[in-house]
Amino acid sequence: MSEELELTIDGEVVGRIDKQLGHHFDQFSRSQIQHWIEDGHVLVNGKQVKPKYKLLVGDHVQIIPEEPQKIDLAPEDIPLDIVYEDDDVIVVNKPQGMVVHPAPGHPDHTLVNALLYHSPLSTINGEFRPGIVHRIDKDTSGLLMVAKNDMAHRSLTAQLKEKTNKREYVALVHGVIKEDKGIIDAPLGRSLKDRKKQAVVVDGRHAVTHFNVLERFKNYTLVACQLETGRTHQIRVHMKYIGHPLAGDPLYGPRKTLAGNGQYLHARLLGFKHPRTGKEMVFTAPLPAYFVKMLEHLRKTDQ
């Protein structure tokens, strides 16, 4: 967003502000508009409002641009663990600790910098997220699908929206889960107490996580989580919500947790239809060494 946008409300756009502005300014996602509202970049009649504010006829809305932050996006010769590649897509196994795309605070040494050195990428997601169809957190390892052209990007994005792709994660969580499997259906949105966090909120976005137990330890449980939706920090927040936060999670976990460089979460399975051929493709990535080492430690100490 480079210039101020204004809108005076008539009878056709009355309703919750984030939803209605998303309809009116469809070049922006609803989540982006919510962030602008929460960060004070949206004014109604000259005053800041909350995302759930309901617009009234006659309201004057201003969307004030954020100050631009200079980021020079440059290709970088960083090794990549490429699981699959053709002329349309790349499936990459991202290591723990690598940021997916540049942002304030992380201007370089990202997966995007490495991908740009390796290959041309789609242009749909803008200057700083070329090729990125979906992302995983910095300290989450595992599989990502990347689009090399706009046709592939549109296809893969549609599959995410229509929930026809497959995404499975392995997580180590605090506590012993008694049930062998379960479904967490709880809406997610920005936390009202801490804007850096996501939380289960009444008016949040629909979010569903399926889980099944893989192994139980004395004080921890290893689970596989299948995403039905893909919200920010979804598994981390949902598992905390049911009383089993991820081990090592610095944002949602307890202070006393397992040592490591972040949450024990790995995207081990990714499936989608090839955007050009329509062929069903499924990829897997084994648990990284640090994760395996911790599981071996827990097995020994539980004896």
Side-chain angles (χ1 to χ4, degrees), residues 172-190:
L172 183 62
V173 303
H174 282 269
V176 180
I177 299 177
K178 296 179 181 179
E179 300 83 5
D180 289 336
K181 61 183 178 180
I183 300 173
I184 308 168
D185 186 345
L188 299 180
R190 193 178 290 264

Side-chain angles (χ1 to χ4, degrees), residues 169-173 221-225 235 239 246 264-266 291:
Y169 293 70
V170 175
L172 183 62
V173 303
T221 305
L222 186 70
V223 296
C225 296
I235 293 173
M239 296 311 296
L246 268 62
Y264 283 81
L265 182 62
H266 175 69
F291 207 137

